[in-house]
Amino acid sequence: MENKNEKVIVIIGPTAVGKTKLSIELAKRFNGEVISGDSMQIYKGMDIGTAKIKQEEMEGIPHHLLDIKSPEESYSVAEFQSMVRPLITDITNRGKMPMIVGGTGLYIQSVLYDYKFTDSKGNEQLRSELEKKAAIMGKEALYEELVQIDPVSAKKIHPNNVRRVIRALEIYYDCGKTMSEVEHTNEANPLYDVALIGLTMDREQLYKRINYRVDLMVEEGLLEEVKGLYKTGLRDCQSIQAIGYKEIYSYLDGVQSLDSAIEQLKQNSRRYAKRQLTWFRNKMNVEWFDMTPPLSMDEKVEEIFQYIAGKFSGKEN
């Protein structure tokens, strides 16, 4: 499947770097519609903690894949891929420019490249057996099993990320190939005529912005938002593992103080930003733009606009 006649703008980068504001300004210039590339903004009622764009911030620009799932539902890369590719075609056919904006690298990679899945739905019975194994023997034993089977993938997955460990084992036992072998076979050439924009920033400045954003989230009612989910009895599901929710849950469970939970949230957000940058630099062919002041947003928008216009016209440097 190749859609080289379909143009796609993609804006990626770490949390709090300025993707949202830039995407709106570029959407105005390119007659664009935004597709969220964030794996958590799909959930209804999870607005503050996911830094979901507000209605007034959209400035009339259509946004897709926001608020499409209930928090108790799961969501996969394969599901994202199957939703976004038809969306790109639909937006293009209406004479608009599709723009994918977000920070979940694997999701975006799965759309842009010939990313194949062994079984998009997964093997539920096998997954259930592996979950029971983790509960009985411990997550460490499960991770060690992955180290023996697929050391390449094991290096990329944190031992505490049981869901990812189980998924890697599931792939191996279900199809006889390791996750790293499956990923290696995925085609490296993009399927679309894509302008892949990466935003970066001086680390100290970025970390200050992340800390400020967390303080702002608390002011805007993050605690109340998470309490609402907590009171429904929601736990042990994909959405609550998100940064911004799991930390407040630990406070509500009485595990730590609110101040400690907020500090942990800031630290986890900074670490996540660092992992995002590392992932993007290692996995995708990105044109990077430094968003560190003193250049204004208007100047950055103009610079990036010129790059994209040149790339799509074949006049890039």
Side-chain angles (χ1 to χ4, degrees):
M1 169 194 143
E2 282 214 13
N3 303 286
K4 289 291 188 179
N5 58 322
E6 294 183 347
K7 292 177 169 55
V8 182
I9 295 171
V10 179
I11 302 171
I12 59 171
T15 184
V17 78
K19 298 185 295 292
T20 300
K21 178 66 176 170
L22 176 73
S23 68
I24 296 299
E25 295 306 313
L26 289 177
K28 290 177 189 173
R29 296 193 181 206
F30 286 103
N31 193 22
E33 295 190 9
V34 173
I35 301 168
S36 171
D38 187 289
S39 62
M40 290 298 157
Q41 292 185 359
I42 55 148
Y43 290 114
K44 299 170 189 171
M46 296 177 66
D47 304 331
I48 299 170
T50 63
K52 196 179 293 176
I53 188 170
K54 300 179 178 72
Q55 195 69 40
E56 61 270 21
E57 293 172 332
M58 293 181 186
E59 298 188 40
I61 303 297
H63 280 64
H64 304 271
L65 299 194
L66 298 175
D67 302 323
I68 61 168
K69 290 269 186 179
S70 297
E72 67 274 9
E73 294 181 275
S74 61
Y75 194 57
S76 69
V77 184
E79 199 171 352
F80 178 79
Q81 184 194 69
S82 68
M83 288 179 170
V84 174
R85 285 181 176 170
L87 253 179
I88 289 172
T89 300
D90 175 59
I91 293 167
T92 303
N93 288 345
R94 288 187 282 106
K96 300 288 199 78
M97 175 69 76
M99 299 174 60
I100 304 175
V101 181
T104 309
L106 185 61
Y107 278 49
I108 294 167
Q109 186 187 41
S110 75
V111 170
L112 298 182
Y113 303 94
D114 189 17
Y115 202 98
K116 295 182 175 65
F117 300 93
T118 53
D119 181 354
S120 60
K121 293 182 179 177
N123 186 323
E124 290 185 15
Q125 183 180 347
L126 177 56
R127 189 180 310 143
S128 178
E129 288 172 5
L130 289 166
E131 285 168 354
K132 285 176 187 172
K133 194 172 183 179
I136 295 166
M137 297 177 65
K139 60 189 176 188
E140 297 83 5
L142 211 63
Y143 181 75
E144 186 55 38
E145 189 175 334
L146 180 62
V147 170
Q148 298 301 319
I149 290 169
D150 186 5
V152 176
S153 292
K155 282 184 181 178
K156 300 176 189 174
I157 301 173
H158 195 281
N160 291 338
N161 194 340
V162 180
R163 191 166 61 86
R164 286 279 290 158
V165 172
I166 286 174
R167 179 60 181 148
L169 289 170
E170 184 187 339
I171 287 172
Y172 175 74
Y173 289 127
D174 200 32
C175 75
K177 285 186 179 179
T178 63
M179 179 185 274
S180 53
E181 286 172 333
V182 171
E183 288 178 348
H184 185 69
T185 60
N186 290 322
E187 186 61 51
N189 296 319
L191 302 172
Y192 303 91
D193 184 1
V194 59
L196 185 48
I197 307 301
L199 307 185
T200 186
M201 184 178 282
D202 169 76
R203 184 170 292 183
E204 188 178 341
Q205 291 279 340
L206 179 64
Y207 285 179
K208 281 181 182 176
R209 285 172 64 102
I210 289 170
N211 290 341
Y212 173 73
R213 174 183 273 188
V214 171
D215 288 335
L216 200 59
M217 285 176 174
V218 173
E219 282 180 31
E220 289 180 344
L222 176 63
L223 183 56
E224 289 71 26
E225 179 174 275
V226 182
K227 270 183 181 174
L229 297 167
Y230 187 87
K231 285 176 181 176
T232 67
L234 191 70
R235 57 174 61 238
D236 300 325
C237 58
Q238 190 174 334
S239 62
I240 301 306
Q241 298 309 308
I243 296 170
Y245 295 86
K246 61 183 178 182
E247 296 86 359
I248 304 299
Y249 257 61
S250 72
Y251 157 67
L252 295 172
D253 282 338
V255 174
Q256 60 180 335
S257 69
L258 181 58
D259 285 346
S260 174
I262 291 168
E263 191 50 49
Q264 187 183 51
L265 169 50
K266 289 178 179 178
Q267 185 182 66
N268 288 344
S269 298
R270 294 192 299 267
R271 286 175 175 168
Y272 179 57
K274 186 179 178 183
R275 289 199 305 274
Q276 283 176 301
L277 278 168
T278 301
W279 199 97
F280 290 133
R281 284 178 175 141
N282 290 340
K283 296 279 190 179
M284 300 171 87
N285 186 21
V286 180
E287 186 70 24
W288 290 99
F289 292 87
D290 191 345
M291 303 298 283
T292 309
L295 279 183
S296 68
M297 175 59 81
D298 287 345
E299 289 171 305
K300 288 293 179 187
V301 170
E302 182 61 28
E303 181 187 1
I304 295 169
F305 169 75
Q306 293 296 340
Y307 167 77
I308 296 170
K311 187 177 193 314
F312 286 155
S313 68
K315 295 176 184 175
E316 62 177 317
N317 292 330

